[in-house]
Amino acid sequence: MKTPVERISLRKRLALEVSRQVRENNKKLHPLRQLFWECTQRCNIHCKHCGSDCKSTAEIPDMPAADFLRVIDSLTPHVNPHEVNIIFTGGEPLVRKDLEEVGQALYHRGYPWSMVTNGLYLTDSRLQHLLKAGLHSITISLDGFADDHNWLRGHPQSYQQAMHAIRMLAREQQLTWDVVTCVNRRNYSYLEQLKDSLYEAGVRHWRLFTIFPVGRAAHYPDFQLEDKDFNGLMEFIRQTRQEGKIMASYGCEGFLGSYEAEVRDGFYTCNAGISVASVLADGSISACPSIRSNYSQGSIYKDDFMEVWENRFQPFRDRSWMKKGACASCSFFRYCEGNGMHLHDNNGELLFCHLERLKRAQQKL
């Protein structure tokens, strides 16, 4: 007997088919819409779940700003800059002193730019300088109340500074921003209270992720929610969206069956290598920066970025190679295509399936 998560209405199936056709068309056109710049692998905290195993002193030095801007100048003749969002990531971007300089250079070239930060170094003064340099949007990480957030982030002032950053952002009426939370066994039980706290602080957009087992996170199996709690997380997000006070959404990974379009704005799709690319700290050209290094497609120090974007990325745009193992006989593969690229190990094997977790949970209800 099918579980509720497998029972998808005819209306939703038709919408999924339309979404699939759009995805197939985007694979052919592969319009670049997001470009991540891993501007550093240095970090000012020591997160237990870090997928990159970043440290205060990185083995790979920061990429010179001029090198990245040369990449931007090489792609500018081929894109509409206003349609390509440049996202600074790391490591922790704010450890770099020249972000404003790079941001302003991007702004003058017509590119919107954004960043993801833990907020520890986001002072009032730094925020104002970033805004003057054209900062378009920003994401702050907050993973629970003080004890659990500081435990996960490995810094005793992390929670205090993250909340300070959130309250600063709430005062900026023209800035697009949100908060991301990595849901785990320690913070799952009080998501309702955390939601209320974030709302009172001014948060109106909240993304909730689950931790995938790579990097340091692979050493902490307790980070993974039990199946019943993963199902409970979907219910929590759906109910929060129905309330309408704060727009919660599940992260971009994983096909979720009947929860599709109910726990995030659209249907699941992994756009890595289709509309999303990245330039990593060592110059590698890749897709989503969370994806393993052996899926890199070239290097800015050896290749032309647009030539790589136009003519490589085949494993991302034709994912038939993922139809193996549990995926081989799955009736939902046409919508999921083997889950997110970042959830495949160095051998291409799927680490876990979101739909299977939901099915197991509902079979026990």
Side-chain angles (χ1 to χ4, degrees):
M1 180 180 294
K2 288 185 177 181
T3 58
V5 75
E6 298 172 272
R7 299 183 199 132
I8 300 178
S9 67
L10 176 60
R11 182 177 181 180
K12 186 171 287 188
R13 280 188 179 272
L14 291 172
L16 281 166
E17 284 297 327
V18 171
S19 177
R20 188 181 71 84
Q21 291 169 12
V22 170
R23 183 173 69 246
E24 291 301 313
N25 189 54
N26 281 338
K27 288 179 185 177
K28 297 174 183 176
L29 300 175
H30 46 268
L32 184 62
R33 292 292 180 261
Q34 286 185 321
L35 177 60
F36 286 89
W37 180 34
E38 188 183 51
C39 62
T40 183
Q41 285 194 351
R42 292 181 292 141
C43 194
N44 50 4
I45 58 179
H46 191 78
C47 300
K48 289 180 171 62
H49 63 307
C50 181
S52 302
D53 197 22
C54 296
K55 302 176 177 67
S56 58
T57 303
E59 295 178 3
I60 298 173
D62 293 356
M63 178 183 291
D67 293 0
F68 180 66
L69 290 174
R70 275 195 292 271
V71 173
I72 297 299
D73 289 337
S74 73
L75 67 88
T76 297
H78 306 281
V79 301
N80 180 348
H82 300 293
E83 296 179 349
V84 183
N85 186 28
I86 311 298
I87 304 171
F88 297 172
T89 185
E92 168 52 45
L94 289 175
V95 302
R96 287 189 66 131
K97 305 299 184 184
D98 60 352
L99 285 191
E100 291 87 345
E101 178 184 333
V102 181
Q104 195 160 54
L106 292 171
Y107 179 78
H108 288 319
R109 287 164 169 81
Y111 290 90
W113 63 277
S114 312
M115 64 185 302
V116 181
T117 175
N118 58 47
L120 192 65
Y121 285 176
L122 190 63
T123 62
D124 296 78
S125 175
R126 190 80 194 266
L127 176 59
Q128 293 309 310
H129 283 102
L130 291 166
L131 290 170
K132 289 178 181 177
L135 177 66
H136 179 264
S137 62
I138 186 169
T139 293
I140 300 288
S141 300
L142 188 86
D143 300 314
F145 291 128
D147 287 347
D148 293 329
H149 178 84
N150 291 342
W151 169 81
L152 187 64
R153 296 287 168 174
H155 194 290
Q157 277 81 50
S158 183
Y159 175 81
Q160 177 182 341
Q161 290 302 112
M163 287 302 298
H164 175 68
I166 287 169
R167 293 189 179 97
M168 279 195 299
L169 296 177
R171 297 195 296 265
E172 300 296 334
Q173 299 299 314
Q174 304 304 314
L175 182 65
T176 299
W177 63 282
D178 67 354
V179 169
V180 297
T181 296
C182 291
V183 182
N184 58 77
R185 295 188 186 187
R186 289 180 65 133
N187 62 20
Y188 172 78
S189 63
Y190 58 79
L191 287 177
E192 192 71 37
Q193 292 89 341
L194 184 61
K195 177 188 69 176
D196 292 340
S197 175
L198 291 174
Y199 182 80
E200 290 175 5
V203 176
R204 297 298 179 266
H205 293 88
W206 185 25
R207 283 182 290 155
L208 297 99
F209 287 77
T210 43
I211 299 172
F212 50 95
V214 298
R216 291 183 202 141
H219 303 293
Y220 292 89
D222 285 349
F223 284 165
Q224 303 300 314
L225 293 178
E226 295 182 7
D227 291 340
K228 64 179 179 62
D229 292 338
F230 183 66
N231 189 80
L233 174 61
M234 297 303 113
E235 288 294 326
F236 170 78
I237 295 173
R238 180 162 63 180
Q239 292 169 10
T240 299
R241 291 172 69 89
Q242 290 172 350
E243 288 173 1
K245 291 174 59 179
I246 184 169
M247 182 52 67
S249 61
Y250 184 61
C252 57
E253 65 180 27
F255 178 73
L256 303 171
S258 61
Y259 285 111
E260 286 296 323
E262 296 182 21
V263 295
R264 50 190 167 209
D265 293 342
F267 293 105
Y268 165 74
T269 184
C270 176
N271 285 315
I274 298 172
S275 62
V276 178
S278 65
V279 174
L280 303 183
D282 64 355
S284 296
I285 300 170
S286 187
C288 170
S290 296
I291 296 171
R292 309 279 62 76
S293 60
N294 61 332
Y295 289 104
S296 295
Q297 301 296 296
S299 169
I300 65 167
Y301 296 115
K302 298 178 181 178
D303 306 295
D304 176 75
F305 179 90
M306 283 307 297
E307 188 279 329
V308 172
W309 178 252
E310 290 295 335
N311 299 306
R312 302 186 195 178
F313 286 93
Q314 287 85 0
F316 297 84
R317 296 167 188 170
D318 179 4
R319 303 194 183 186
S320 57
W321 62 271
M322 292 185 176
K323 195 173 176 65
K324 58 184 179 179
C327 296
S329 59
C330 180
S331 61
F332 294 107
F333 183 84
R334 64 190 291 107
Y335 308 129
C336 176
E337 292 194 315
N339 213 323
M341 287 287 292
H342 68 291
L343 291 175
H344 289 258
D345 65 17
N346 289 330
N347 298 316
E349 300 299 325
L350 183 63
L351 295 173
F352 63 81
C353 171
H354 293 70
L355 185 63
E356 282 299 316
R357 297 182 72 185
L358 293 169
K359 286 165 60 177
R360 288 196 302 266
Q362 294 182 1
Q363 286 166 355
K364 296 176 182 178
L365 293 177

